[in-house]
Amino acid sequence: MESVPPPLSETYIDPEAIGGLCKEVSFAPGESLRRKGLHYKSMYLLTDGEVDIALEKKGSDPTILTRQRGSPIGEISFLTGRAATATVTARTPTKALVIDDPAWAMLERDHPELAADLYRQLAEVSDGRQSYNLLFHADASGKPPEGSVEVRLCRNAEMLRQAQRIRYEVYCEELGRTSPYADVENRIIADELDSFAHVLIALQDDEPVGTMRLNRAAEGPLGPLVELYGMQKSQHHPAATSVCTKFIVRKAHRYSQASFKMMATSMDVGMRSKVKESFIDCIPSLLPFYMSMGFRQSAPAFLHRENGRSIPLMLDVERYAPRINRLTGFVLR
């Protein structure tokens, strides 16, 4: 493995500026801070120790970058919703500040100048890193296959609005259905579950083609879904249950890798947030598709206000996520 210094454009961010405002965590040597291919809703700012960043390139050993105090970790994934592009491991005993959505909200509300300065510094770092990554991969085996699908977590209002628009375009325009949550003027479908959801969006060649939403019962009220899905009968509810709703893919991509990748990503997000049982509903014609992945009916069928007759289903995440992994080729960690 080749160890190289950081790119020349790497910027030092002084942890002292936010040291008393964010939680600090510790990592033992060999412990992972990030794993390539996974989605995260937080980032780190190193305060002590040293980490290795493994950049993988097909056909050769990983190139290892080292980072120390003042280096952000996972900022591109955190800010854009992309999956992590590299695996990051503590080389020595390491400490880092945790910057997540509540921390950002607090900084923007109580320390706006500090938040603005941090945004500017992160822009410098991410620009340098992304440019470096492009150069690093330039001599690899070529660009991704045509039509490759990338699944991202919605990390800002614009991304969420794209997902909400896909809902409207498919439900109301493509399928000709009505929705009590449809905003005809803005051509979106949005409801209260969006406020605490993990919303996924699938992009094919940077064009949004599908979306899916996951809500953990422990993070907010699910309303009538608890009764409709039979969640109250689960021994894991509400601490370790979730619902997947608004699973929508444009017609031309409905049986493509977009559907499978979003399902696999939702299982990965659920597993890493300790979800044991995941609930969803489907129309009768899709029941064989879901049962092939391990879902089973969890309550009587009901009339969905957008989908019509729907069958509530439950998946034992720990048991059947590996099956979804095999069906999709998506690596769940």
Side-chain angles (χ1 to χ4, degrees), residues 62-75:
T63 293
I64 305 299
L65 308 179
T66 60
R67 295 290 185 272
Q68 299 86 21
R69 175 182 171 84
S71 185
I73 299 296
E75 79 289 344

Side-chain angles (χ1 to χ4, degrees), residues 193 217 220-234 237-238 241-243 245 279-281 297-304 310-314:
L193 291 186
L222 300 178
L225 293 181
V226 173
E227 178 67 27
L228 288 173
Y229 289 171
M231 298 175 71
Q232 73 279 8
K233 295 181 291 186
S234 169
H237 183 74
T241 57
S242 69
V243 298
T245 56
F279 293 78
I280 197 170
D281 67 78
Q297 188 166 347
S298 59
F302 64 94
L303 193 63
H304 194 289
S310 298
I311 301 171
L313 305 168
M314 185 276 290

Side-chain angles (χ1 to χ4, degrees), residues 1 47 124 167 299 301 306 333:
M1 295 184 185
T47 58
E124 291 184 33
R167 300 172 189 170
E306 293 166 339
R333 296 173 176 85

Side-chain angles (χ1 to χ4, degrees), residues 140-154:
S141 58
K143 63 181 181 179
E146 283 297 321
S148 61
V149 172
E150 179 185 17
V151 176
R152 300 186 193 179
L153 273 172
C154 291

Side-chain angles (χ1 to χ4, degrees), residues 61-225:
D61 290 337
T63 293
I64 305 299
L65 308 179
T66 60
R67 295 290 185 272
Q68 299 86 21
R69 175 182 171 84
S71 185
I73 299 296
E75 79 289 344
I76 297 173
S77 174
F78 172 62
L79 294 173
T80 68
R82 295 176 184 269
T85 57
T87 295
V88 183
T89 307
R91 174 182 289 215
T92 66
T94 298
K95 294 182 180 180
L97 298 175
V98 180
I99 304 176
D100 54 15
D101 290 332
W104 268 117
M106 177 274 296
L107 288 171
E108 291 179 343
R109 182 186 65 246
D110 300 336
H111 307 276
E113 292 184 1
L114 178 58
D117 187 51
L118 191 54
Y119 270 126
R120 285 190 287 267
Q121 292 181 79
L122 286 173
E124 291 184 33
V125 174
S126 62
D127 283 349
R129 290 186 177 178
Q130 291 185 89
S131 297
Y132 180 82
N133 287 344
L134 286 174
L135 290 172
F136 175 79
H137 289 289
D139 62 341
S141 58
K143 63 181 181 179
E146 283 297 321
S148 61
V149 172
E150 179 185 17
V151 176
R152 300 186 193 179
L153 273 172
C154 291
R155 296 296 301 136
N156 53 51
E158 180 182 353
M159 294 177 72
L160 178 58
R161 198 170 186 83
Q162 285 183 314
Q164 293 167 338
R165 179 151 294 161
I166 292 174
R167 300 172 189 170
Y168 183 89
E169 290 175 351
V170 173
Y171 275 140
C172 301
E173 297 178 345
E174 180 185 313
L175 299 176
R177 298 173 181 167
T178 59
S179 169
Y181 304 107
D183 180 340
V184 178
E185 182 178 352
N186 293 303
R187 298 176 62 245
I188 62 172
I189 291 178
D191 62 36
E192 60 275 9
L193 291 186
D194 284 335
S195 65
F196 66 99
H198 306 263
V199 180
L200 304 175
I201 188 165
L203 301 150
Q204 183 162 348
D205 299 326
D206 292 326
E207 178 71 23
V209 299
T211 182
M212 187 179 198
R213 181 175 68 185
L214 181 144
N215 289 84
R216 293 186 61 232
E219 295 177 339
L222 300 178
L225 293 181

